[in-house]
mmCIF file of all heavy atoms in Angstrom:
data_model
loop_
_atom_site.group_PDB
_atom_site.id
_atom_site.type_symbol
_atom_site.label_atom_id
_atom_site.label_comp_id
_atom_site.label_asym_id
_atom_site.label_seq_id
_atom_site.Cartn_x
_atom_site.Cartn_y
_atom_site.Cartn_z
ATOM 1 N N GLU A 1 73.387 72.839 80.860
ATOM 2 C CA GLU A 1 74.418 73.174 81.810
ATOM 3 C C GLU A 1 74.873 74.614 81.678
ATOM 4 O O GLU A 1 75.098 75.043 80.550
ATOM 5 C CB GLU A 1 75.684 72.263 81.581
ATOM 6 C CG GLU A 1 76.848 72.538 82.548
ATOM 7 C CD GLU A 1 78.033 71.721 82.095
ATOM 8 O OE1 GLU A 1 78.029 71.130 81.082
ATOM 9 O OE2 GLU A 1 78.978 71.561 82.930
ATOM 10 N N PHE A 2 75.101 75.293 82.699
ATOM 11 C CA PHE A 2 75.582 76.680 82.665
ATOM 12 C C PHE A 2 76.992 76.741 82.287
ATOM 13 O O PHE A 2 77.893 75.933 82.790
ATOM 14 C CB PHE A 2 75.336 77.327 84.094
ATOM 15 C CG PHE A 2 75.900 78.752 84.177
ATOM 16 C CD1 PHE A 2 75.336 79.792 83.527
ATOM 17 C CD2 PHE A 2 77.052 78.924 84.994
ATOM 18 C CE1 PHE A 2 75.979 81.106 83.691
ATOM 19 C CE2 PHE A 2 77.617 80.143 85.060
ATOM 20 C CZ PHE A 2 77.023 81.251 84.454
ATOM 21 N N VAL A 3 77.313 77.748 81.389
ATOM 22 C CA VAL A 3 78.751 77.915 81.025
ATOM 23 C C VAL A 3 79.252 79.260 81.635
ATOM 24 O O VAL A 3 80.280 79.239 82.372
ATOM 25 C CB VAL A 3 78.836 77.935 79.526
ATOM 26 C CG1 VAL A 3 80.298 78.264 79.163
ATOM 27 C CG2 VAL A 3 78.443 76.616 78.900
ATOM 28 N N ALA A 4 78.641 80.350 81.221
ATOM 29 C CA ALA A 4 79.114 81.659 81.753
ATOM 30 C C ALA A 4 77.970 82.617 81.400
ATOM 31 O O ALA A 4 76.979 82.414 80.780
ATOM 32 C CB ALA A 4 80.417 81.989 80.917
ATOM 33 N N ALA A 5 78.197 83.871 82.192
ATOM 34 C CA ALA A 5 77.144 84.898 81.937
ATOM 35 C C ALA A 5 77.828 86.206 82.196
ATOM 36 O O ALA A 5 78.739 86.321 82.936
ATOM 37 C CB ALA A 5 75.971 84.715 82.922
ATOM 38 N N PHE A 6 77.239 87.247 81.509
ATOM 39 C CA PHE A 6 77.535 88.661 81.670
ATOM 40 C C PHE A 6 76.290 89.373 82.151
ATOM 41 O O PHE A 6 75.263 89.277 81.495
ATOM 42 C CB PHE A 6 78.133 89.252 80.397
ATOM 43 C CG PHE A 6 78.187 90.754 80.428
ATOM 44 C CD1 PHE A 6 79.089 91.388 81.162
ATOM 45 C CD2 PHE A 6 77.219 91.565 79.835
ATOM 46 C CE1 PHE A 6 79.227 92.804 81.170
ATOM 47 C CE2 PHE A 6 77.192 92.899 79.794
ATOM 48 C CZ PHE A 6 78.223 93.475 80.517
ATOM 49 N N ALA A 7 76.471 90.233 83.247
ATOM 50 C CA ALA A 7 75.380 90.999 83.691
ATOM 51 C C ALA A 7 75.828 92.505 83.547
ATOM 52 O O ALA A 7 76.811 92.904 84.086
ATOM 53 C CB ALA A 7 75.091 90.760 85.137
ATOM 54 N N SER A 8 75.012 93.214 82.810
ATOM 55 C CA SER A 8 75.348 94.599 82.574
ATOM 56 C C SER A 8 75.310 95.519 83.738
ATOM 57 O O SER A 8 76.013 96.391 83.902
ATOM 58 C CB SER A 8 74.427 95.235 81.438
ATOM 59 O OG SER A 8 73.021 95.234 81.926
ATOM 60 N N SER A 9 74.394 95.189 84.729
ATOM 61 C CA SER A 9 74.399 95.816 86.018
ATOM 62 C C SER A 9 75.636 95.466 86.829
ATOM 63 O O SER A 9 75.765 94.377 87.290
ATOM 64 C CB SER A 9 73.149 95.549 86.790
ATOM 65 O OG SER A 9 73.056 96.184 88.026
ATOM 66 N N GLY A 10 76.541 96.432 87.002
ATOM 67 C CA GLY A 10 77.713 96.250 87.691
ATOM 68 C C GLY A 10 78.860 95.635 86.816
ATOM 69 O O GLY A 10 79.942 95.342 87.305
ATOM 70 N N ILE A 11 78.542 95.380 85.565
ATOM 71 C CA ILE A 11 79.477 94.851 84.569
ATOM 72 C C ILE A 11 80.152 93.640 85.236
ATOM 73 O O ILE A 11 81.377 93.586 85.502
ATOM 74 C CB ILE A 11 80.567 95.945 84.216
ATOM 75 C CG1 ILE A 11 79.948 97.204 83.891
ATOM 76 C CG2 ILE A 11 81.341 95.417 82.987
ATOM 77 C CD1 ILE A 11 79.000 97.221 82.771
ATOM 78 N N ARG A 12 79.387 92.591 85.493
ATOM 79 C CA ARG A 12 79.742 91.403 86.152
ATOM 80 C C ARG A 12 79.951 90.171 85.214
ATOM 81 O O ARG A 12 79.130 90.041 84.257
ATOM 82 C CB ARG A 12 78.854 91.028 87.316
ATOM 83 C CG ARG A 12 78.850 91.997 88.445
ATOM 84 C CD ARG A 12 77.641 91.783 89.406
ATOM 85 N NE ARG A 12 76.395 92.114 88.667
ATOM 86 C CZ ARG A 12 75.329 91.368 88.811
ATOM 87 N NH1 ARG A 12 75.235 90.287 89.605
ATOM 88 N NH2 ARG A 12 74.155 91.814 88.249
ATOM 89 N N PHE A 13 80.931 89.378 85.473
ATOM 90 C CA PHE A 13 81.132 88.146 84.681
ATOM 91 C C PHE A 13 81.063 87.024 85.647
ATOM 92 O O PHE A 13 81.711 87.010 86.763
ATOM 93 C CB PHE A 13 82.460 88.282 83.936
ATOM 94 C CG PHE A 13 82.533 89.298 82.962
ATOM 95 C CD1 PHE A 13 83.046 90.578 83.394
ATOM 96 C CD2 PHE A 13 82.295 89.070 81.657
ATOM 97 C CE1 PHE A 13 83.077 91.581 82.421
ATOM 98 C CE2 PHE A 13 82.403 90.118 80.685
ATOM 99 C CZ PHE A 13 82.839 91.403 81.040
ATOM 100 N N VAL A 14 80.389 85.956 85.284
ATOM 101 C CA VAL A 14 80.256 84.727 86.057
ATOM 102 C C VAL A 14 80.519 83.538 85.252
ATOM 103 O O VAL A 14 80.146 83.443 84.038
ATOM 104 C CB VAL A 14 78.839 84.637 86.712
ATOM 105 C CG1 VAL A 14 78.720 83.289 87.547
ATOM 106 C CG2 VAL A 14 78.544 85.784 87.689
ATOM 107 N N TYR A 15 81.315 82.628 85.770
ATOM 108 C CA TYR A 15 81.758 81.498 85.077
ATOM 109 C C TYR A 15 81.363 80.171 85.822
ATOM 110 O O TYR A 15 81.478 80.168 87.085
ATOM 111 C CB TYR A 15 83.241 81.445 84.674
ATOM 112 C CG TYR A 15 83.694 82.491 83.802
ATOM 113 C CD1 TYR A 15 84.120 83.740 84.325
ATOM 114 C CD2 TYR A 15 83.659 82.296 82.376
ATOM 115 C CE1 TYR A 15 84.437 84.717 83.457
ATOM 116 C CE2 TYR A 15 84.065 83.264 81.559
ATOM 117 C CZ TYR A 15 84.507 84.557 82.098
ATOM 118 O OH TYR A 15 84.910 85.517 81.191
ATOM 119 N N ALA A 16 81.091 79.087 85.113
ATOM 120 C CA ALA A 16 80.963 77.871 85.834
ATOM 121 C C ALA A 16 82.319 77.444 86.439
ATOM 122 O O ALA A 16 83.348 77.682 85.728
ATOM 123 C CB ALA A 16 80.471 76.664 84.877
ATOM 124 N N ASP A 17 82.298 76.915 87.550
ATOM 125 C CA ASP A 17 83.611 76.609 88.227
ATOM 126 C C ASP A 17 84.412 75.642 87.460
ATOM 127 O O ASP A 17 85.663 75.828 87.404
ATOM 128 C CB ASP A 17 83.351 75.970 89.696
ATOM 129 C CG ASP A 17 82.805 76.938 90.697
ATOM 130 O OD1 ASP A 17 82.852 78.240 90.446
ATOM 131 O OD2 ASP A 17 82.087 76.559 91.646
ATOM 132 N N SER A 18 83.894 74.696 86.787
ATOM 133 C CA SER A 18 84.602 73.706 86.019
ATOM 134 C C SER A 18 85.241 74.293 84.718
ATOM 135 O O SER A 18 86.116 73.643 84.200
ATOM 136 C CB SER A 18 83.791 72.518 85.708
ATOM 137 O OG SER A 18 82.655 72.888 84.928
ATOM 138 N N LEU A 19 84.812 75.453 84.277
ATOM 139 C CA LEU A 19 85.181 75.969 83.105
ATOM 140 C C LEU A 19 86.108 77.284 83.181
ATOM 141 O O LEU A 19 86.611 77.800 82.211
ATOM 142 C CB LEU A 19 84.001 76.361 82.206
ATOM 143 C CG LEU A 19 83.090 75.197 81.863
ATOM 144 C CD1 LEU A 19 81.922 75.643 81.062
ATOM 145 C CD2 LEU A 19 83.816 74.100 81.128
ATOM 146 N N ARG A 20 86.061 77.797 84.327
ATOM 147 C CA ARG A 20 86.842 79.002 84.695
ATOM 148 C C ARG A 20 88.293 78.845 84.254
ATOM 149 O O ARG A 20 88.992 77.901 84.644
ATOM 150 C CB ARG A 20 86.655 79.481 86.044
ATOM 151 C CG ARG A 20 87.306 80.901 86.442
ATOM 152 C CD ARG A 20 87.074 81.219 87.872
ATOM 153 N NE ARG A 20 85.728 81.505 88.142
ATOM 154 C CZ ARG A 20 84.932 80.675 88.920
ATOM 155 N NH1 ARG A 20 85.514 79.582 89.368
ATOM 156 N NH2 ARG A 20 83.753 80.908 89.083
ATOM 157 N N GLY A 21 88.831 79.752 83.477
ATOM 158 C CA GLY A 21 90.206 79.644 83.099
ATOM 159 C C GLY A 21 90.398 79.227 81.590
ATOM 160 O O GLY A 21 91.417 79.446 80.973
ATOM 161 N N ARG A 22 89.363 78.510 81.101
ATOM 162 C CA ARG A 22 89.403 78.048 79.745
ATOM 163 C C ARG A 22 88.410 78.834 78.850
ATOM 164 O O ARG A 22 88.666 79.044 77.593
ATOM 165 C CB ARG A 22 88.985 76.507 79.548
ATOM 166 C CG ARG A 22 90.012 75.655 80.217
ATOM 167 C CD ARG A 22 89.920 74.227 79.819
ATOM 168 N NE ARG A 22 88.631 73.577 80.208
ATOM 169 C CZ ARG A 22 87.636 73.254 79.321
ATOM 170 N NH1 ARG A 22 87.831 73.339 77.987
ATOM 171 N NH2 ARG A 22 86.522 72.671 79.743
ATOM 172 N N PHE A 23 87.289 79.281 79.423
ATOM 173 C CA PHE A 23 86.248 80.009 78.656
ATOM 174 C C PHE A 23 86.292 81.421 79.127
ATOM 175 O O PHE A 23 86.394 81.686 80.224
ATOM 176 C CB PHE A 23 84.886 79.304 78.882
ATOM 177 C CG PHE A 23 84.680 78.007 78.213
ATOM 178 C CD1 PHE A 23 85.769 77.241 77.752
ATOM 179 C CD2 PHE A 23 83.486 77.541 78.039
ATOM 180 C CE1 PHE A 23 85.518 75.998 77.170
ATOM 181 C CE2 PHE A 23 83.229 76.289 77.423
ATOM 182 C CZ PHE A 23 84.215 75.559 76.940
ATOM 183 N N THR A 24 86.072 82.396 78.237
ATOM 184 C CA THR A 24 85.928 83.745 78.488
ATOM 185 C C THR A 24 84.854 84.361 77.674
ATOM 186 O O THR A 24 84.699 84.079 76.493
ATOM 187 C CB THR A 24 87.321 84.381 78.029
ATOM 188 O OG1 THR A 24 88.386 83.896 78.828
ATOM 189 C CG2 THR A 24 87.258 85.894 78.522
ATOM 190 N N ILE A 25 84.107 85.234 78.298
ATOM 191 C CA ILE A 25 82.988 85.902 77.686
ATOM 192 C C ILE A 25 83.400 87.337 77.525
ATOM 193 O O ILE A 25 84.142 87.960 78.288
ATOM 194 C CB ILE A 25 81.633 85.760 78.461
ATOM 195 C CG1 ILE A 25 81.768 86.179 79.898
ATOM 196 C CG2 ILE A 25 81.138 84.327 78.446
ATOM 197 C CD1 ILE A 25 80.466 86.216 80.698
ATOM 198 N N SER A 26 82.823 87.907 76.513
ATOM 199 C CA SER A 26 82.947 89.365 76.227
ATOM 200 C C SER A 26 81.751 89.890 75.460
ATOM 201 O O SER A 26 80.891 89.116 75.029
ATOM 202 C CB SER A 26 84.357 89.556 75.381
ATOM 203 O OG SER A 26 84.248 88.903 74.202
#
């Protein structure tokens, strides 16, 4: 299951809808 991702191009952060707000990537 996908949790979260960071893409260096554009400095983008993506989170699974069900986890957004509880999980943070850095």
Side-chain angles (χ1 to χ4, degrees):
E1 176 188 17
F2 173 73
V3 174
F6 165 78
S8 61
S9 180
I11 315 299
R12 295 169 289 142
F13 299 86
V14 176
Y15 296 89
D17 290 340
S18 62
L19 303 177
R20 187 178 294 107
R22 295 196 298 118
F23 288 19
T24 303
I25 56 173
S26 61

